[in-house]
Amino acid sequence: PGRLMAEAQGQGRMHVAVLGAGGIGCWLAARLALAGQRTSLLARGASLAAIREHGLRAAAVDGSTIGTCGAPALSVHGAAEEVDAGVGVLFVAVKTHQLAACVPQVAALLRRSPSALVVPMANGVDAHDVIARGLEESGGSADGVMGGIARSVVYISHSGTVVLERELGVAVGPIRACAPTCAQLDALRAVSRLLTDVARVSCELIETADAMRTALWTKFLVTGCLGPFSAAARAPVDVLMSTAETTAVVRALMEEMRDVGAAGGVRMPDGAVEDALAICARSPPGTTFSTTRDVLGGRPSELLEFCGVVVRLGRERGVPTPSHAQLLATLLPQERVARGELAYELRGV
C-alpha cells in the first residue's frame, strides 16, 4: 500500500481494476482511462464484445460524447481472463445479488495482486460482508476488503455506452470490525486523491468503520426502500412523494430501516429519516431506481438484498419490520420468476 500511494502521488500511475460493466463500473473505468490511468475493466457478454470492438464511450444525458477510451489506457478482460499483476485497487461494481458469483474473480485477482484493496460499489449495506465471507471460505484473505459508496446517477444506454445523468461522487473507507492499518489508510487516501484530482470524480475518504457504516445506512434509507416500493406501486419517486398515502408508507419503511440499523450498532444521525424524505421529495419527475427498472423489466433485482436483508436483520435484532415484510411478500413471486425459480401464468376466474 505504501508503494501504491507513492505511485498515485507520482502522476497517478496506480493500476486500477473495475469488476462489472454496468453504469457505475463503466463510468469509473471511463473517467480513469480518459484521464490516462492504467485501468482494467472486467466485463462479460454483449458489453465485453462492444467495448472490445468500439471502445468504452462516455456520454452526457443529451447524447453528446464526453469521450471514448480504449487501449492502451483501458484494457478489457472476460470472466476467465487474468488481469496483470500490480493492481492497487479493485472496484467491484456489480448488482448486490451478483456479488457471491463474482468472488472467484476477486480471489483470482488477489492471488496476482495480494496487496490490492477491494472496494465494493454495490447498493445495500452488506456487500463487504458477502465478498469477505466468500474470500475466507475459499481460503483467501479478506484483510483488504473496504467499504464504498457510489452516489452518482449513471446508466448504460446500450452496450459500450455509459450515460452520466447526475454525478454526485463516491466515498471509500474501512468497514470491517478490525481497524485498518496505517498502510491501508494511506492507500485509501491515494485512491481518493487519484479519483478526485486526476479522474475528476469527487471521492470522500471516510476514515473509520463506524462512520462508513453510518454512511452506508444513510444512503440505504433512500435506495433500499424506494427502489422496491416504487416497483410495487409502479410509480416514480416524485409521484410517491406527492401522494400522502404513499409518502406515509415510505416513512414507515425508512423508520424500520433506521431502527434495524441502530439495533446493530449503527449510529444513525438525528433526523436521518426526515433528511432522507427531503432528498426523495426533491426527485425530478419520472425518477426511478435500478431496482424498480429491474423488477418492472422482469429481470433479477436487489429485492432480497434490500427488503430481505432488513427483514432478516430485524428478526435477528428483535426489531419489527412489518412494512418491509409486506413489500417483500408482494414482490417475491415476480422475483422468483425472474431468477428462474418459479413459473406461472395468470388466468381469469
Side-chain angles (χ1 to χ4, degrees):
R3 174 183 59 79
L4 300 177
M5 181 182 69
E7 289 181 357
Q9 290 173 325
Q11 301 301 316
R13 291 302 171 186
M14 181 188 294
H15 182 187
V16 179
V18 180
L19 171 56
I24 293 297
C26 282
W27 184 247
L28 282 174
R31 289 299 293 264
L32 287 160
L34 288 171
Q37 293 303 302
R38 184 185 178 194
T39 308
S40 295
L41 177 63
L42 286 71
R44 62 181 181 179
S47 295
L48 174 64
I51 296 169
R52 274 187 167 156
E53 184 174 356
H54 303 293
L56 175 58
R57 175 174 173 260
V61 73
D62 63 2
S64 60
T65 297
I66 295 172
T68 300
C69 52
L74 179 69
S75 58
V76 189
H77 305 263
E81 299 170 358
E82 290 186 337
V83 177
D84 291 343
V87 170
V89 58
L90 169 65
F91 291 107
V92 182
V94 300
K95 295 291 182 68
T96 312
H97 62 83
Q98 299 169 329
L99 283 169
C102 291
V103 169
Q105 279 182 280
V106 177
L109 185 145
L110 289 177
R111 283 194 291 271
R112 295 179 62 81
S113 301
S115 64
L117 299 182
V118 179
V119 182
M121 286 288 169
N123 290 317
V125 291
D126 64 347
H128 56 284
D129 285 332
V130 174
I131 295 173
R133 184 166 56 248
L135 290 172
E136 290 168 345
E137 288 175 352
S138 65
S141 170
D143 290 346
V145 177
M146 300 289 141
I149 300 173
R151 301 189 179 101
S152 300
V153 181
V154 294
Y155 59 90
I156 300 296
S157 60
H158 55 275
S159 296
T161 296
V162 59
V163 177
L164 169 67
E165 181 172 322
R166 197 163 25 131
E167 187 172 55
L168 303 178
V170 300
V172 298
I175 186 63
R176 306 191 72 208
C178 54
T181 65
C182 291
Q184 286 174 332
L185 278 176
D186 285 344
L188 284 169
R189 291 189 186 97
V191 171
S192 179
R193 283 195 295 269
L194 176 67
L195 289 175
T196 300
D197 298 339
V198 180
R200 302 304 178 188
V201 176
S202 176
C203 181
E204 176 189 4
L205 173 63
I206 298 175
E207 297 197 4
T208 69
D210 283 346
M212 191 74 215
R213 281 191 288 270
T214 297
L216 281 172
W217 276 85
T218 300
K219 179 190 174 185
F220 194 42
L221 287 183
V222 176
T223 57
C225 75
L226 261 298
F229 184 48
S230 180
R234 294 179 174 266
V237 175
D238 58 295
V239 172
L240 299 179
M241 300 308 297
S242 63
T243 306
E245 292 84 354
T246 49
T247 300
V249 175
V250 173
R251 178 184 291 276
L253 290 166
M254 288 182 176
E255 288 174 346
E256 288 179 6
M257 298 166 82
R258 175 201 60 199
D259 294 345
V260 168
V266 179
R267 298 175 182 175
M268 301 298 290
D270 293 338
V273 169
E274 297 304 324
D275 291 343
L277 288 169
I279 290 172
C280 296
R282 295 193 296 269
S283 298
T287 297
T288 60
F289 291 96
S290 60
T291 304
T292 308
R293 298 189 292 273
D294 286 339
V295 171
L296 298 184
R299 298 181 294 271
S301 76
E302 295 174 309
L303 173 69
L304 300 182
E305 291 72 27
F306 287 1
C307 294
V309 164
V310 174
V311 171
R312 175 178 60 80
L313 291 178
R315 184 168 54 247
E316 293 173 359
R317 298 170 182 178
V319 178
T321 57
S323 297
H324 279 274
Q326 183 174 8
L327 182 55
L328 175 63
T330 300
L331 294 175
L332 190 57
Q334 297 174 66
E335 186 66 29
R336 293 184 63 196
V337 170
R339 297 192 183 202
E341 302 169 357
L342 180 68
Y344 59 82
E345 61 180 79
L346 300 175
R347 299 178 180 177
V349 294

